[in-house]
Amino acid sequence: MNKSLALLAITALTLLTSGCAARPELLSRDSSNPDGTDLSGLWVLQGEGHERDRRHLDRDDGIHLPPATSSRRGQQAPLQTRSRGRSKGPSVHVFLEYGQSLKVTQTEHGLFVSFDRAVVEEYTFGENRTIALGPIEAQRVSGWDGPAFVVETMDDRGAVLTETWTLATDGQELVREIGIVDDDELLYAMRQVFERT
């Protein structure tokens, strides 16, 4: 089983077992980098690239994704779509950034990811804090799981966005696995492969 999908399954199971009485909380992740992994570098997305249109994610009836016939090299088609009875879908997707080119700078305490030289995301190893984008707040934890750097972001309704960053091909590729889980259901899954430049 793919390690990233296993992480998504564990996240979903944690949310299920936490019950419905209160919003679950994410558990802090390891701040140490046991394998000495360094994700730093300039990276370019393999294939055609990602469509930046988020209209499908913002619809009231849930998350709708690009068609499964997408032929992007280095990316996987989403696993499923669905329609929800709730009036509003998860808001956690607003914290998801995309880019054709990445500049990753890793320090002793954190990771900075620049998407297309326009947006920079900062992740602190072992962080567990509240983040906000306009009126939308979410809990974020990030840290290491062996050689993988994992970021989990949970919105106010308990939907979790998980991003896993790993190196492949002797450090010449950066693999980003993305998933959104809500109510034990995988709403969105994508795999991006970036090549070192």
Side-chain angles (χ1 to χ4, degrees), residues 11-160:
T11 299
L13 182 60
T14 301
L15 293 175
L16 263 182
T17 57
S18 64
C20 298
R23 189 187 109 179
E25 289 197 27
L26 298 174
L27 299 177
S28 295
R29 292 196 161 270
D30 196 351
S31 62
S32 67
N33 184 353
D35 294 331
T37 303
D38 188 354
L39 304 176
S40 296
L42 299 175
W43 306 93
V44 176
L45 183 64
Q46 294 181 9
E48 297 174 15
H50 181 81
E51 295 172 5
R52 298 182 60 116
D53 188 347
R54 292 187 179 191
R55 287 178 297 170
H56 297 298
L57 293 173
D58 291 330
R59 294 184 47 171
D60 285 342
D61 57 348
I63 294 181
H64 293 262
L65 305 166
T69 58
S70 175
S71 62
R72 292 186 198 99
R73 185 174 161 235
Q75 297 183 14
Q76 256 181 350
L79 297 183
Q80 65 184 27
T81 61
R82 73 172 184 173
S83 193
R84 299 188 59 86
R86 298 180 187 177
S87 62
K88 183 181 178 189
S91 61
V92 73
H93 64 84
V94 302
F95 297 99
L96 186 57
E97 295 294 340
Y98 295 103
Q100 297 284 328
S101 63
L102 305 180
K103 178 181 179 182
V104 179
T105 305
Q106 185 171 319
T107 68
E108 182 181 347
H109 303 288
L111 198 69
F112 299 85
V113 182
S114 172
F115 295 86
D116 292 334
R117 299 181 184 180
V119 177
V120 177
E121 286 288 335
E122 177 184 356
Y123 307 107
T124 303
F125 302 153
E127 75 181 320
N128 186 342
R129 65 185 177 103
T130 299
I131 60 171
L133 184 59
I136 300 174
E137 290 189 348
Q139 178 190 5
R140 172 168 287 165
V141 298
S142 65
W144 295 93
D145 183 6
F149 181 68
V150 181
V151 180
E152 293 175 297
T153 307
M154 182 172 64
D155 67 15
D156 60 352
R157 62 185 266 156
V160 177

Side-chain angles (χ1 to χ4, degrees), residues 37-40 42-46 73-74 165-176 191-197:
T37 303
D38 188 354
L39 304 176
S40 296
L42 299 175
W43 306 93
V44 176
L45 183 64
Q46 294 181 9
R73 185 174 161 235
W165 301 80
T166 55
L167 293 176
T169 319
D170 295 326
Q172 296 308 301
E173 291 182 336
L174 177 66
V175 180
R176 181 189 190 200
R191 182 174 190 265
Q192 296 179 308
V193 179
F194 295 86
E195 187 174 19
R196 190 182 293 276
T197 62

